[in-house]
């Protein structure tokens, strides 16, 4: 797969799907991701024969393994034999396909429903494997695609202050606004272990956003609850409670001597 570039030098991405509706769904997701990733969308291919005729060659292929007559597997093997399979992302029709798909050595495997931020992660993996034309690669900025009043929006991960689960949604908070995403909190924790620390079963906090901690006692709350710690966050008014069993880990994320300062001022 050769790197296809638009006028801005973005790598070309080809969707190969079983039908036009499959291609349209993925295309709409990629159009959202283009706001935060350097991507050039190529005309999608419906079926294996259209994929073989795709010119010029794409940098990344999103290949639907649900193509009829196992033609997707044939395509993947052909690309692997010619050394052009590094930028391949496979979309599995079911979990049962995973063992066979894993043998194709693709950059990533996706299971439906494909969430936008998971798709972005797969694209980054593929781009990292193919490398840039001329030996240079501009790393894309990781982002989570979230809902706001203005529709879907790509929110850079480095702007997220905290993520808090609420039913089937996760509330995403930046210093400038609040959003909703549908990706499970546990999946987010696994995807960004260096960025977030899990402070409670329902909350992740950006390590760089932790400004301090305050011990909440019955005297402060006016109720008979057990004392607990809560985090003071940089740039937002909300404070996030820390689960007792997670406090030893979270404490190590506090900046400087903030803990001792908090202990002296907790009654204020």
């Amino acid at each position: 797969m050769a790197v296809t570039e638009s006028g801005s030098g973005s790598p070309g991405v080809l969707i190969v799907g079983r039908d036009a509706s499959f291609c349209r769904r993925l295309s709409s997701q990629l159009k959202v991701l283009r706001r935060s990733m350097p991507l050039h969308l190529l005309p999608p291919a419906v079926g294996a024969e259209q994929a073989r005729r795709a010119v010029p060659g794409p940098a990344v292929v999103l290949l639907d393994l649900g193509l009829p007559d196992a033609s997707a597997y044939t395509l993947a093997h052909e690309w692997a034999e010619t050394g052009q399979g590094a930028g391949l992302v496979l979309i599995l029709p079911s979990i049962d396909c995973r063992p066979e798909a894993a043998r194709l050595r693709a950059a990533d495997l996706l299971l439906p429903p494909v969430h936008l931020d998971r798709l972005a992660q797969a694209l980054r993996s593929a781009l990292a494997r193919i490398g840039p034309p001329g030996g240079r690669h501009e790393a894309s900025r990781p982002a989570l695609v979230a809902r706001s009043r203005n529709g879907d929006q790509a929110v850079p991960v480095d702007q997220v202050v905290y993520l808090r689960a609420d039913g089937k949604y996760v509330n995403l908070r930046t210093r400038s606004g609040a959003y909703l995403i549908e990706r499970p909190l546990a999946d987010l924790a696994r995807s960004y272990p260096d960025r977030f620390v899990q402070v409670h079963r329902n909350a992740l906090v950006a390590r760089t956003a932790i400004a301090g901690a305050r011990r909440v006692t019955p005297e402060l709350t006016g109720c008979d609850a057990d004392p607990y710690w809560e985090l003071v966050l940089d740039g937002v008014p909300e404070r996030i409670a820390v689960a007792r069993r997670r406090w030893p880990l979270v404490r190590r994320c506090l900046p400087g001597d903030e803990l001792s300062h908090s202990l002296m001022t907790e009654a204020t």
Side-chain angles (χ1 to χ4, degrees):
M1 299 176 197
V3 174
T4 299
E5 295 182 340
S6 66
S8 62
S10 299
V13 180
L14 173 68
I15 299 168
V16 182
R18 70 195 76 176
D19 54 39
S21 63
F22 179 96
C23 294
R24 280 195 299 271
R25 286 195 299 274
L26 268 183
S27 293
S28 65
Q29 290 178 307
L30 289 176
K31 287 175 183 176
V32 174
L33 292 177
R34 276 193 313 192
R35 302 170 192 169
S36 62
M37 299 183 69
L39 303 175
H40 171 48
L41 251 61
L42 300 174
V46 177
E49 289 311 308
Q50 278 194 21
R52 290 188 178 96
R53 294 196 299 268
V55 177
V60 176
V61 173
L62 303 176
L63 176 60
D64 174 18
L65 281 186
L67 296 185
D69 302 323
S71 55
Y73 291 90
T74 303
L75 268 178
H77 283 299
E78 289 173 3
W79 285 328
E81 288 172 2
T82 59
Q84 298 177 343
L88 188 61
V89 175
L90 301 176
I91 302 171
L92 284 56
S94 71
I95 189 68
D96 297 333
C97 301
R98 183 182 287 275
E100 187 174 0
R103 290 194 286 271
L104 296 173
R105 297 183 180 179
D108 208 342
L109 308 177
L110 298 175
L111 276 167
V114 178
H115 295 291
L116 286 168
D117 49 341
R118 181 66 183 89
L119 178 59
Q121 183 182 0
L123 289 168
R124 287 193 295 271
S125 297
L127 292 170
R129 287 182 64 174
I130 62 172
R136 293 179 302 174
H137 180 65
E138 181 182 352
S140 58
R141 192 178 182 188
L144 299 172
V145 180
R147 296 181 182 178
S148 68
R149 293 179 179 178
N150 300 319
D152 286 345
Q153 181 172 339
V155 180
V157 172
D158 59 14
Q159 291 184 8
V160 178
V161 176
Y162 70 80
L163 297 150
R164 185 155 53 186
D166 183 12
K168 72 172 186 175
Y169 293 102
V170 170
N171 293 304
L172 182 156
R173 185 71 160 91
T174 69
R175 292 177 178 84
S176 59
Y179 308 85
L180 291 176
I181 58 176
E182 295 187 41
R183 188 168 167 185
L185 198 71
D187 190 24
L188 292 163
R190 286 192 297 268
S191 298
Y192 305 101
D194 297 329
R195 173 67 186 172
F196 300 109
V197 59
Q198 184 144 18
V199 304
H200 196 279
R201 62 181 175 80
N202 70 346
L204 301 175
V205 171
R207 297 172 187 270
T208 56
I210 298 174
R214 185 182 79 146
R215 186 165 173 79
V216 181
T217 64
E219 291 77 19
L220 289 174
T221 60
C223 63
D224 232 358
D226 292 336
Y228 65 91
W229 287 94
E230 65 181 11
L231 294 180
V232 179
L233 303 177
D234 182 28
V236 299
E238 300 93 336
R239 293 175 177 176
I240 305 296
V242 180
R244 184 180 304 172
R245 68 186 184 88
R246 297 190 182 275
W247 173 243
L249 170 63
V250 175
R251 178 176 178 172
R252 295 199 291 270
C253 300
L254 294 175
D257 295 325
E258 182 61 40
L259 179 59
S260 56
H261 175 73
S262 299
L263 286 169
M264 290 187 293
T265 61
E266 65 180 25
T268 62

